[in-house]
Amino acid sequence: MAGSSRVPVSLRNFASAKTAAVRRSPYAVFNLDLVRNIVFAYFLLRHFRRAVRRLRGRGIIGTVVDVYSYAQRYAYGVFLNFPGIKSKVQGQVDEALKKLEDKLVQKGPGVTRYLALPKEGFTKEQARAELKKLSEMEHTSWEDGYVSGAVYHGGDALLDIQSEAYRMFSVSNPLHPDVFPGVRKMEAEIVAMVLAMYNAPVGAAGITTSGGTESILMACLSARTKAYEERGVSEPEMIIPNTAHAAFDKASYYFGITVHHVAVDPVTLKVDLKAVNRLVNYNTVLIVGSAPNFPHGIIDDITGLSKIALRRRIPLHVDACLGSFIVPFLEKAGFPTTPFDFRVKGVTSISCDTHKYGFAPKGNSVLLFRTKKLRSYGYFITATWPGGVYASPSLAGSRAGSLIAGTWVSLMIQGESGYTSSCREIVGAMKEIETGIKEKLQPDIYVLGEPMVSVVAFSSKTINIYDVADEMNTLGWHLSALQDPPAIHIACTKPTVSATGKFLEDLEKAVKEVKLKGEKSGGTKAAMGDTAAFYGVAGSLPNKSVVNSMASGFIDTLYKA
C-alpha cells in the first residue's frame, strides 16, 4: 500500500528467530539479572556504609537528633512556601532590605552617582577632591578604637612606608617573576619569615594568598587532593569545630567536601576531642583546629587533635589567621600560651593572616605546609593550553606585587621586637576588658571561656545581649554579634589599646540602659534594635532560608550604585 512501511519477510523471520533464541537462552537472562543485582547490592552497600559511619560518628542519640533537626527544617521550609505565608514573609524581607539599602546606599543632595564613564576624564585636582569626599563619608570611628577588629592599623608611620612600597611596585605581577625579580624575592622571604615564626621544620614550605579565606580554601584543596591521589578517596570529608571559620564551609561548598561540625565544650569552648575521634573514617581528609577561633578567641586543644591526627594518619590544619602575629609572641610578651604550631608533630598546615596583626595591607595571608609535597597538592598546572604551560600555586593567576611589597616592608619595619611590643599592648587591652567585665558587670555580663589572645566574647543570662549590642551601637561602637550561644565580642587592635577605659564605661552604660528599658516596659517586650530583631528572629527559626534570603539581599545591596 502506498505510504506504508513494510518489513521484508526474511528480516521478520530473522528477528523472530533471534528473539526466540534469547528467550530460550538462560545465560542472557542470568547475565542481565546478575548485573542488576550487583548494581543494587552496590547501592545498598554504599548507603549502608554511610549509615554505619554516621551512627559511629554521631552515636544513636546524635543521629536521632540530626534526623529530627532535618525533619524540623524540612517541615518549616514547606510551611514557609505556602502561598499566603510565602508572600507575607517575602514582603517583610523586602521591607527589611529596603531599610538596609536606605542605610548603606548614599543618596540625596550632595551625592553624585557615577553610572558611566565620564565623557572627559577627571583632572588630578578633581580626582583628589572626589577621593577626599569619599574618605570623609560618615563612618564608625575606627581611628579611636571603636570598631571590633576590621581595621588592623599599624600606625601612620607604617602607612607612609607602605604607600611608598605600593607606588614603587604598583605595576608588578608575581605571575611574571622574570619581569619582576624583586617581587619574587620579597614573596619568598615573607613565607620564610612566617615559617620561622611558626617553628617550621627543615623542608617546610608555603605560599601567599589574598587573605585568610583563600588560605583556608587552599589548605582544604591540598588535603582533598592528597587523599585522592594517595588513597583514592572520592567522597572526601573533613571534621571541624562548630566555632571554626565559615571559610571551611565555603571550601566544602566549592570543593565538594562533606563537613562534619563538632560541638565545643560548653565551659572551655574548645572542640570535643572524643567527638572528633568518633567521626574519623576512611573518607576523612582533614581535621581542623583554631588558634584562636573567631567567635570567642579560644585556642582549641591542638595537642589533643594532633594525637588523633597522628594515630589516624589524617592531616591537621591549624587556622591561626586571627592569631597571626599575636600567638607566636605570647610567651615573649609575658603571657601564658599553649602549643599550636609546627612543634606539635601532627600539625601539617597553618594559615596566618599577615594583614591582621602583621599590620600588612589588606589582601595578604600566608599558608604554611610541613612539607613541599603537601604544598604541591594545591598547585594547578596544565601543559596543554595553546597559550603555553600554565602553573599557579593558588586560586589567583595575576596578583598585585604592590601588596607583596607592602607586606614585606611591614614585616621588616616591625621586626620581632615590634611584634612582641604590639602583642603586649593588644593582649594587655584584652585582659583589661576581660578583668573589667568580671569585676564591674557580673552577674549581668559574663565572659565566655578563658581568652588568651585578642578577643573577648561576653553574654548575659539576665538581659538580652543583642539589646546591649544595639545600645553600644548608639554610643558609637561597632561590635560583632555572635550566635549559638547569643553573645557579642570585641577583637582588640592597636587603636583599641587607648579606648579600653571608654569601652568599659560605655558597656556599663549600655547594660544599665537595657535594664532600665526592661523595668519601664513592666516586663513586656520593648522595641528592639536592628541587631536584637535580626538575631532574635534568626535564632528562633529552625529553617534558615529567610536568613539566607536576607544575606543574599544584603550582598545585592552592596553593588547598588
Side-chain angles (χ1 to χ4, degrees), residues 410-473:
S410 301
L411 271 57
M412 298 302 287
I413 290 286
Q414 291 292 113
E416 188 175 308
S417 61
Y419 287 122
T420 303
S421 176
S422 65
C423 173
R424 189 177 294 115
E425 291 178 358
I426 292 164
V427 178
M430 181 277 290
K431 291 290 183 186
E432 186 177 338
I433 290 173
E434 179 193 13
T435 302
I437 290 173
K438 288 179 177 179
E439 291 180 353
K440 299 178 181 179
L441 294 165
Q442 286 184 332
D444 292 311
I445 299 290
Y446 67 93
V447 174
L448 278 68
E450 297 180 6
M452 297 178 67
V453 193
S454 58
V455 174
V456 187
F458 46 95
S459 187
S460 176
K461 294 178 181 177
T462 61
I463 54 179
N464 187 332
I465 196 65
Y466 296 137
D467 284 335
V468 175
D470 286 320
E471 285 298 326
M472 289 294 282
N473 189 52

Side-chain angles (χ1 to χ4, degrees), residues 519-534:
E519 291 169 5
K520 285 181 178 178
S521 65
T524 60
K525 288 186 178 180
M528 293 186 292
D530 291 342
T531 306
F534 180 78

